[in-house]
Amino acid sequence: MPRFNHAHCALAGILENTGRLDEALYHLGFIFGSPGSILEVARSNDESARNVYVLALDMYGRLQEAKGRLGVAEVAYEQSLLLGGVREDIRQRYVALAEQRRARNPSPDPEVVKRNLHCVHIDIVGGCQLKCVGCPEAINGRKITMIEPDLLRRCLNNIDVDWIGMLRLFNFGEPLLHKKLLEVMNVVDEFRAGHVRVGRVEISTNAQGSNMPQLEQALKNNSIDLIAVSCDGDGTREQYEEMRPPSKWTKLLRFLDTVANIKAQNKLDVVLQTRTVVQSKEDEERWNSVLLPRGWTPEFRPRYNLPGAPENRSGHELRMGQGVCSHLRNPSLFVDVDGTVVPCCAHPRAGVFGNLASLKFSEIAAGMQRTQFVEFMDKRRPEMNLCNECEL
């Protein structure tokens, strides 16, 4: 962040207080025009940069609102909330503008998104210890971070729907790296006992760094309805380890056997499933011989090219999806470890729609950022970064 951003922000504040709005906007323009987008600042750990952007965006929203540019102001408040977490004053201004906009243009009906969600993905751990060849997370180099139980509680309580089909405690991170897994599961159990009906709770793991004592207790507590293991390749140790470095085949088999034994010894109803990317019927047969005798049911999937993945192992050239993808057409929600709402599970951050710790799901779903993202994808997807490299 350029060192003069603090000075431009302070000067803009003085100019706003003296009624010189155009001059204030001029100085804020230096901040937003500097290298580093809002998304890059959101990803960074530079608290100083984030604080300046929070203040600058809030001020920019107030100035635009004073000039009658309500749509621009709404987006500015949204972005400020995204960067700054819970700021009740900004949130109130944002909600007021959003309600005015929906009153002027009631489509899409916000009640439609409030009734149910087919699927909710929440990353309880950000980052992964593996570098799988087909995964965008492999080249991000994100530091492993873990959601705090209180933050998870705030996010869950802001999902203002009546019914959730699947609550998945993963998106791109490895959930069993969480050191407070039992506390996290207690929060989920608490949420499940509330007014929102949840069909099933899932965890998906790479089976390489499991927190087995806490996982065993969570299974015994019936906190998890389905546990899935990701395992790619042709069903041999050599290709499995090549495609998912630094995985070890022996760790995979040990995890499968241990969890199956926990289920059998405690007579649990948990579903044991693998999600396995294969390229031939022969691959399926080899995996069946490994998985079925151990009590695991494989779900076989074709390989897609995911945007930002280190390698293309699909066997075909990129085939960009057409129009609005299914993740945005279907009633789904995808949440990063810090509460940021993202478009999908095909890339960790193909876009940013708001933060579930400070905004209700219905507010985000009908918000300007998501609305503009969907409209752009519908009409101009080939021009979009990442989405133009996605086959879904």
Side-chain angles (χ1 to χ4, degrees):
M1 181 187 73
R3 58 181 177 175
F4 296 117
N5 278 4
H6 289 87
H8 282 299
C9 188
L11 182 54
I14 294 170
L15 292 167
E16 179 192 20
N17 290 336
T18 56
R20 297 156 68 180
L21 305 190
D22 288 332
E23 292 175 73
L25 285 169
Y26 172 78
H27 283 280
L28 291 176
F30 282 98
I31 299 173
F32 305 135
S34 60
S37 66
I38 294 290
L39 183 55
E40 289 169 340
V41 174
R43 286 172 171 165
S44 78
N45 294 319
D46 188 339
E47 288 300 319
S48 178
R50 292 166 74 95
N51 290 338
V52 170
Y53 266 75
V54 167
L55 294 173
L57 283 164
D58 182 32
M59 193 186 316
Y60 186 77
R62 294 197 306 267
L63 294 170
Q64 295 291 3
E65 191 173 358
K67 287 179 164 291
R69 299 168 185 162
L70 303 186
V72 177
E74 183 183 345
V75 172
Y77 293 147
E78 253 185 346
Q79 292 175 330
S80 185
L81 284 168
L82 164 68
L83 293 176
V86 179
R87 281 280 304 271
E88 188 58 29
D89 56 335
I90 303 174
R91 182 182 180 279
Q92 288 178 1
R93 287 194 286 276
Y94 165 72
V95 170
L97 285 183
E99 288 177 349
Q100 289 179 41
R101 174 171 55 80
R102 288 196 287 269
R104 296 191 303 270
N105 179 15
S107 180
D109 181 4
E111 293 303 315
V112 172
V113 299
K114 289 183 65 174
R115 283 196 279 270
N116 69 77
L117 280 167
H118 169 66
C119 187
V120 173
H121 285 243
I122 297 184
D123 247 338
I124 61 172
V125 171
C128 178
Q129 78 275 43
L130 303 188
K131 302 292 181 184
C132 302
V133 299
C135 178
E137 186 67 38
I139 61 174
N140 282 343
R142 286 200 296 175
K143 181 181 178 182
I144 302 294
T145 55
M146 304 170 200
I147 196 167
E148 285 297 324
D150 286 344
L151 175 59
L152 177 62
R153 183 178 287 107
R154 289 211 311 272
C155 289
L156 289 173
N157 288 338
N158 274 335
I159 305 177
D160 50 346
V161 299
D162 301 316
W163 177 83
I164 295 172
M166 296 175 285
L167 176 57
R168 290 173 161 167
L169 303 179
F170 59 92
N171 199 37
F172 266 86
E174 169 47 49
L176 296 190
L177 293 177
H178 206 300
K179 294 180 180 179
K180 299 179 182 178
L181 182 64
L182 267 181
E183 291 184 49
V184 164
M185 298 313 306
N186 288 339
V187 170
V188 173
D189 289 342
E190 173 190 310
F191 173 70
R192 221 173 170 181
H195 69 278
V196 178
R197 290 178 295 130
V198 179
R200 71 185 188 207
V201 172
E202 298 183 22
I203 277 185
S204 179
T205 176
N206 57 38
Q208 294 294 305
S210 60
N211 184 349
M212 190 56 70
Q214 292 195 52
L215 174 62
E216 180 174 0
Q217 189 58 54
L219 289 169
K220 290 179 179 178
N221 292 345
N222 294 310
S223 300
I224 302 169
D225 301 300
L226 185 150
I227 184 164
V229 171
S230 299
C231 46
D232 304 336
D234 61 2
T236 67
R237 176 185 64 80
E238 291 77 14
Q239 194 173 104
Y240 169 79
E241 293 182 353
E242 178 203 350
M243 297 187 71
R244 303 178 68 82
S247 288
K248 297 299 180 185
W249 180 258
T250 53
K251 282 188 178 182
L252 169 68
L253 299 186
R254 188 183 311 124
F255 181 88
L256 297 174
D257 290 340
T258 301
V259 174
N261 287 336
I262 292 171
K263 174 181 177 177
Q265 291 169 6
N266 295 279
K267 297 181 172 58
L268 303 176
D269 291 331
V270 62
V271 175
L272 306 183
Q273 179 179 309
T274 62
R275 296 190 172 117
T276 306
V277 174
V278 296
Q279 292 184 291
S280 70
K281 291 297 292 185
E282 290 75 20
D283 296 352
E284 293 183 15
E285 291 170 3
R286 276 189 292 272
W287 276 116
N288 279 332
S289 69
V290 173
L291 299 170
L292 293 176
R294 289 181 159 84
W296 290 75
T297 302
E299 175 189 287
F300 295 115
R301 300 180 173 189
R303 180 169 293 283
Y304 295 101
N305 291 314
L306 295 180
E311 297 181 33
N312 173 7
R313 293 290 188 96
S314 67
H316 62 259
E317 294 299 318
L318 171 68
R319 300 186 293 238
M320 183 187 73
Q322 300 299 307
V324 179
C325 71
S326 60
H327 295 301
L328 292 169
R329 291 197 308 270
N330 296 329
S332 301
L333 173 63
F334 304 89
V335 187
D336 202 357
V337 69
D338 62 358
T340 302
V341 175
V342 297
C344 63
C345 57
H347 189 275
R349 282 208 179 182
V352 168
F353 297 153
N355 194 291
L356 197 60
S358 55
L359 296 170
K360 298 288 187 183
F361 164 69
S362 57
E363 295 167 354
I364 293 172
M368 188 71 75
Q369 287 178 274
R370 187 183 188 281
T371 300
Q372 291 179 342
F373 190 96
V374 171
E375 289 176 352
F376 201 97
M377 178 181 268
D378 184 34
K379 298 172 183 175
R380 301 167 65 180
R381 181 165 176 171
E383 302 173 36
M384 297 181 74
N385 183 37
L386 297 175
C387 295
N388 62 3
E389 302 172 24
C390 183
E391 298 189 326
L392 302 178

